[in-house]
Amino acid sequence: MDAYKSSVDFAEATAFLSHACYEQDKMALRATLKNKSILSGLLSRLSSCSSHGRVCVSPVLVAQRRNNSTSPKLKVDFNQSTGVAVMHMQNPPVNSLSLGFLTEFCIAVEKLEMDKSCRGLILTSSQPKVFSAGLDIMDMYGKKLEQYEEFWRAVQEMWLKLYSSNMVTIAAINGSSPAGGCLMSLSCDYRIMADNPRYSIGFNETQFGIVVPVWCKEAMTTIVGHRNTELTLELGLLYNPSDALKIGLVDQLVPEDQVLATATKTMTKWLAIPDHARRITKSMMRKPTIDKIMSIREADMQQYISFISKDSTQKMLGTYLEMLKKKRG
Amino acid sequence: MDAYKSSVDFAEATAFLSHACYEQDKMALRATLKNKSILSGLLSRLSSCSSHGRVCVSPVLVAQRRNNSTSPKLKVDFNQSTGVAVMHMQNPPVNSLSLGFLTEFCIAVEKLEMDKSCRGLILTSSQPKVFSAGLDIMDMYGKKLEQYEEFWRAVQEMWLKLYSSNMVTIAAINGSSPAGGCLMSLSCDYRIMADNPRYSIGFNETQFGIVVPVWCKEAMTTIVGHRNTELTLELGLLYNPSDALKIGLVDQLVPEDQVLATATKTMTKWLAIPDHARRITKSMMRKPTIDKIMSIREADMQQYISFISKDSTQKMLGTYLEMLKKKRG
Amino acid sequence: MDAYKSSVDFAEATAFLSHACYEQDKMALRATLKNKSILSGLLSRLSSCSSHGRVCVSPVLVAQRRNNSTSPKLKVDFNQSTGVAVMHMQNPPVNSLSLGFLTEFCIAVEKLEMDKSCRGLILTSSQPKVFSAGLDIMDMYGKKLEQYEEFWRAVQEMWLKLYSSNMVTIAAINGSSPAGGCLMSLSCDYRIMADNPRYSIGFNETQFGIVVPVWCKEAMTTIVGHRNTELTLELGLLYNPSDALKIGLVDQLVPEDQVLATATKTMTKWLAIPDHARRITKSMMRKPTIDKIMSIREADMQQYISFISKDSTQKMLGTYLEMLKKKRG
């Protein structure tokens, strides 16, 4: 297989770095991450305000406009009879993984995890054309050291929670899913993607001078192997659904309007397996990776803070944001 | 590749857990496993009795009827001129891996291993339609702790002996090969399977609430990669020959009547390689896995005993056996 | 996939073990390997003499005739404007990796590595029909222990330099590339091969009773996975370009006259990625393997010396060389 050709053309590669404000969510996050058992009341503390985000469909770059909404960024539909929860991400316009969103996400997953009647989780997007655009660039620019730490801890937490979930987790990828969105998908047990050639999935970080964390590499390697991971991460490749299927980055393609229905049907098959046996097996498969990540978690944090707070990194991000502003005119 | 679709339908998945009596073999096993250098006379001590097993071809479950035969469970044809031994498994009706069978198997492999004139081993089945149905459920039900230990040590030993063999080992898979049968196949250097869509190979343990040991996962990962292993083990997948070939679970498919002939022909090619170089290379490829397994062997034993002796596990197996009895009515 | 069938027929497998003299290069090598910072003047010290090598196109074995030339074994074209160096291997007749060649190669790579304006390296051959025939058998036969050590250190160094290079490295494989030539290719970031079915690539060592070093296995496993590596190394397989592409041993096939042009075009795409991000990512992907190798480097050395200085090994190599002489009659 010509892995190189199977990637999208560089010139067409699209960045989905995005940003959103999340002022009201910070206290909630702090409480969550410092004391994960305190779940009560956090969601209700998120104050509400009007949203005025919109998708900027520049041919080269898409980024999230300021979005002051702190209305729930997730809609969770839990079906008691099937034991399956569907989590709709609704952080307009592109489900960027802001500190606020990640906080809400971690709380929601933990809630379901603790509910013994919930056995399966389907993750999907309420936003058109995008599953998730990845990490919110606004949480990575012009902040204090402790804010960078807070954000990165939330990113680590999101991955750990999803990757080590006892539930069956299925990503119903109904839109583009670059960078952090791809990581989120990779953390699930199974990936179903809309067969729309305009959507893409992968890790385009290096194209913008950014480097993915090592746990991203570990998780991806277990799915698509070392060589595909090497090519993807070094070249910052995004794949169209058909190429993503070829290398195993997603498991199945279906027409766009059947993504959720197929996820639901697939979930039934996974839930036919006795829970305890499936869980022990899942742990057997993933524990080595989780253990490795846990052992380097603080080193990874220091590495991130050091990298993101560098003058050169901040300057690069600043230039990038300026460019976005001008594009919007 | 849609790994999910390439699996057999759950509803059609067939369990091959089986059972057979082996009372007369126990002393032999104990001697073998406690002092592996004592090989003499063990086979002759196996007393003989009439067999009245038959294959139960229920559409859902196949299990081995009580089979009191202790006639040799293996027929070994060693061709001095080619240096190749063909080992025919003949533990009717479905070559279940009972304590008795495993004992005889380990002794036979060790005998060949110590014979310098024997360079290659072809493993095949004398039973129609099945290569091996996997571990004998009767050795896992209603026994004493030391009996569980004895059985599991024999299972570990079988895998270690085959996986670390200096001989070229080829599995001539002329029938279905689920669970333990698949493990046996995976331990060989090369796998040739009968191209009969009614046959299947894989690990269906989770479908019955059972979990494969970690060394099973390690060995499978080296053959088909992490992702295929994850899907197979978590969902308890059995593959038809064509799908097994696609993911690399077997190396070659041939018409049913040519399985043994092809194995013999393939063996000639492997034996064209100077033994010492091939053996050192084989060790280089497999030693890391073997070392890992050896280091956790006792932990694996404790885990097995703890799991199998649990009330819930025993109850589940009991229910399963009751169901089989009724089916046979 | 039938990995076995996708290999070339054993009978057609061709050994490219070769030999060349290198007397004048030894002092240079010693200086290089003992004090890697002393680069100056080494190349100029290589004295010159006439070459009278020719390719011996025996259908079964190809080996290099004595070649007394110590004229530069490499031609390096560095394009300042693109930042790309093209390194043409010209060690007639088959670019055997002799001590002299390896010395010159390591010096040249280090020179480019230290030149900040050089961002990419394309490795190709000036010799017809062959990329590199692998290690020079003359450096492995009839020498003193310290000479074996010297040679093997150069082999290790070549691999380490190439595998851990900060530059983008592309192998433009315009001919056969067995054994050491394959290792050289595998150390690069990307492999483009001439689509000529008469060329082959792989590791045929076991066919001659030789075993590849463990780092060869480690590197290959990251590219084509464990199973393909196991089959290749144990059976000593060489693949034609089409089969090499199928298992991922090369990334792309192009017509023979377009290999270098395609490599140049591909390099442009790799260099479009910001250097620092690509380098950190490359290090993240390769550091675990490099660390592992560094930790066993001396053990690997002792193993090599012990193996190569054995009477049986030397006798085998002697017989092989005699056979070559007779063939040339």
Side-chain angles (χ1 to χ4, degrees), chain C residues 11-207:
Chain C
E12 290 165 19
T14 309
F16 281 88
L17 294 171
S18 53
H19 60 89
C21 89
Y22 58 89
E23 296 306 312
Q24 291 82 355
D25 299 356
K26 278 184 190 168
M27 281 176 58
L29 180 84
R30 258 179 219 122
T32 311
L33 296 177
K34 284 182 184 160
N35 185 345
K36 279 180 267 165
S37 67
I38 305 176
L39 290 175
S40 61
L42 286 181
L43 288 173
S44 61
R45 268 201 271 163
L46 303 174
S47 66
S48 130
C49 63
S50 68
S51 159
H52 45 88
R54 62 168 183 82
V55 181
C56 158
V57 285
S58 138
V60 178
L61 294 169
V62 174
Q64 188 161 336
R65 297 291 304 266
R66 176 162 290 266
N67 165 18
N68 288 314
S69 169
T70 50
S71 58
K73 294 168 174 59
L74 290 170
K75 184 164 80 72
V76 181
D77 295 330
F78 179 40
N79 184 329
Q80 283 280 0
S81 70
T82 60
V84 177
V86 180
M87 195 179 273
H88 302 267
M89 299 186 278
Q90 48 184 28
N91 191 20
V94 292
N95 288 331
S96 71
L97 306 179
S98 64
L99 179 52
F101 177 85
L102 291 169
T103 306
E104 200 176 319
F105 180 84
C106 288
I107 293 169
V109 171
E110 189 163 329
K111 248 181 161 169
L112 295 171
E113 200 78 54
M114 288 164 67
D115 180 345
K116 291 204 170 175
S117 65
C118 183
R119 301 171 61 214
L121 169 63
I122 294 171
L123 197 58
T124 195
S125 165
S126 289
Q127 305 312 118
K129 298 179 189 164
V130 66
F131 179 72
S132 165
L135 302 188
D136 192 327
I137 198 174
M138 289 311 281
D139 282 315
M140 303 161 80
Y141 181 68
K143 295 281 185 293
K144 292 176 192 162
L145 290 190
E146 59 261 36
Q147 290 173 312
Y148 293 140
E149 180 176 346
E150 202 171 20
F151 176 63
W152 198 246
R153 202 165 297 281
V155 176
Q156 290 178 327
E157 195 66 23
M158 175 272 285
W159 181 77
L160 276 168
K161 279 223 169 354
L162 210 48
Y163 195 74
S164 64
S165 173
N166 268 326
M167 299 179 282
V168 173
T169 51
I170 295 180
I173 311 168
N174 52 351
S176 281
S177 191
C182 182
L183 176 63
M184 205 172 228
S185 306
L186 282 180
S187 309
C188 293
D189 291 315
Y190 199 76
R191 284 156 288 283
I192 296 158
M193 190 170 185
D195 194 5
N196 182 334
R198 300 180 59 188
Y199 296 161
S200 64
I201 185 168
F203 291 97
N204 57 344
E205 275 84 343
T206 50
Q207 291 201 34

Side-chain angles (χ1 to χ4, degrees), chain A residues 1-5 10 206-207 209-214 217 221 226-227 229-231 233-235 307, chain C residues 189-191 222-223 245-246 251-252 266 269-270 272-274 276-278 280-282 284-286 288:
Chain A
M1 174 177 37
D2 180 355
Y4 194 88
K5 275 196 283 186
F10 284 3
T206 52
Q207 291 200 36
I210 306 276
V211 175
V212 301
V214 68
K217 164 222 154 186
T221 300
H226 191 279
R227 178 58 180 162
T229 303
E230 185 173 57
L231 283 174
L233 299 188
E234 291 189 20
L235 293 170
F307 176 81
Chain C
D189 291 315
Y190 199 76
R191 284 156 288 283
T222 63
I223 306 288
L245 183 68
K246 263 181 217 146
D251 296 298
Q252 202 175 338
T266 303
K269 293 186 180 178
W270 280 75
I273 303 296
H276 76 286
R278 186 194 50 73
I280 295 173
T281 307
K282 181 172 178 176
M284 181 170 79
M285 295 305 300
R286 299 196 168 190

Side-chain angles (χ1 to χ4, degrees), chain C residues 166-277:
Chain C
N166 268 326
M167 299 179 282
V168 173
T169 51
I170 295 180
I173 311 168
N174 52 351
S176 281
S177 191
C182 182
L183 176 63
M184 205 172 228
S185 306
L186 282 180
S187 309
C188 293
D189 291 315
Y190 199 76
R191 284 156 288 283
I192 296 158
M193 190 170 185
D195 194 5
N196 182 334
R198 300 180 59 188
Y199 296 161
S200 64
I201 185 168
F203 291 97
N204 57 344
E205 275 84 343
T206 50
Q207 291 201 34
F208 306 95
I210 305 276
V211 175
V212 301
V214 67
W215 28 284
C216 195
K217 165 223 154 182
E218 297 286 345
M220 187 177 190
T221 300
T222 63
I223 306 288
V224 299
H226 190 280
R227 179 58 179 161
N228 284 318
T229 303
E230 186 173 57
L231 283 175
T232 303
L233 298 189
E234 290 189 21
L235 293 171
L237 300 182
L238 295 175
Y239 298 86
N240 62 40
S242 162
D243 289 333
L245 183 68
K246 263 181 217 146
I247 67 163
L249 193 55
V250 298
D251 296 298
Q252 202 175 338
L253 299 185
V254 296
E256 193 156 357
D257 59 357
Q258 290 166 36
V259 172
L260 193 53
T262 307
T264 306
K265 209 174 142 193
T266 303
M267 182 61 85
T268 308
K269 293 186 180 178
W270 280 75
L271 293 182
I273 303 296
D275 266 357
H276 76 286

Side-chain angles (χ1 to χ4, degrees), chain A residues 78-323:
Chain A
F78 179 41
N79 184 328
Q80 283 279 1
S81 72
T82 61
V84 178
V86 180
M87 195 179 272
H88 303 267
M89 300 186 278
Q90 48 185 27
N91 190 21
V94 293
N95 288 331
S96 70
L97 307 178
S98 65
L99 180 51
F101 176 85
L102 290 169
T103 307
E104 201 175 319
F105 180 84
C106 288
I107 293 168
V109 172
E110 189 162 328
K111 249 182 163 167
L112 296 171
E113 200 77 55
M114 287 163 66
D115 181 344
K116 289 203 170 176
S117 66
C118 182
R119 301 171 61 213
L121 169 63
I122 294 171
L123 197 57
T124 195
S125 166
S126 290
Q127 305 312 118
K129 298 177 190 163
V130 66
F131 179 73
S132 165
L135 302 188
D136 192 328
I137 197 173
M138 290 309 283
D139 282 315
M140 302 161 80
Y141 181 68
K143 295 282 185 294
K144 292 177 192 161
L145 290 191
E146 60 262 35
Q147 290 174 310
Y148 293 140
E149 182 176 345
E150 202 170 21
F151 176 63
W152 199 246
R153 203 164 296 282
V155 176
Q156 291 178 327
E157 196 65 23
M158 174 272 284
W159 180 78
L160 276 168
K161 279 226 170 350
L162 210 47
Y163 195 73
S164 63
S165 173
N166 268 327
M167 298 179 284
V168 173
T169 51
I170 295 181
I173 311 168
N174 53 350
S176 280
S177 191
C182 182
L183 176 63
M184 205 172 229
S185 305
L186 282 180
S187 309
C188 292
D189 291 317
Y190 199 76
R191 285 155 288 284
I192 297 159
M193 190 170 186
D195 194 6
N196 182 335
R198 299 181 59 188
Y199 296 160
S200 64
I201 184 167
F203 291 97
N204 57 345
E205 275 84 345
T206 52
Q207 291 200 36
F208 305 96
I210 306 276
V211 175
V212 301
V214 68
W215 27 284
C216 195
K217 164 222 154 186
E218 297 287 345
M220 188 178 190
T221 300
T222 62
I223 306 289
V224 299
H226 191 279
R227 178 58 180 162
N228 284 318
T229 303
E230 185 173 57
L231 283 174
T232 303
L233 299 188
E234 291 189 20
L235 293 170
L237 300 182
L238 295 175
Y239 298 86
N240 62 41
S242 161
D243 288 334
L245 183 68
K246 263 180 214 145
I247 66 163
L249 194 54
V250 297
D251 296 299
Q252 200 174 342
L253 300 185
V254 296
E256 194 156 356
D257 59 357
Q258 290 166 36
V259 172
L260 194 53
T262 307
T264 306
K265 208 173 142 193
T266 303
M267 183 60 85
T268 308
K269 293 186 179 178
W270 280 74
L271 294 182
I273 304 296
D275 267 356
H276 76 287
R278 187 194 51 71
R279 286 174 182 184
I280 295 174
T281 307
K282 181 173 179 176
S283 167
M284 181 171 77
M285 296 304 300
R286 300 195 167 191
K287 199 170 176 303
T289 302
I290 293 168
D291 287 350
K292 201 189 277 190
I293 297 325
M294 289 306 286
S295 76
I296 58 160
R297 188 171 180 171
E298 287 316 308
D300 174 64
M301 172 63 80
Q302 293 315 314
Q303 212 165 349
Y304 174 75
I305 294 177
S306 155
F307 176 81
I308 205 69
S309 60
K310 250 188 204 132
D311 282 351
S312 56
T313 308
Q314 286 295 308
K315 202 176 154 190
M316 188 191 68
L317 292 175
T319 309
Y320 176 70
L321 284 170
E322 273 309 308
M323 191 184 70

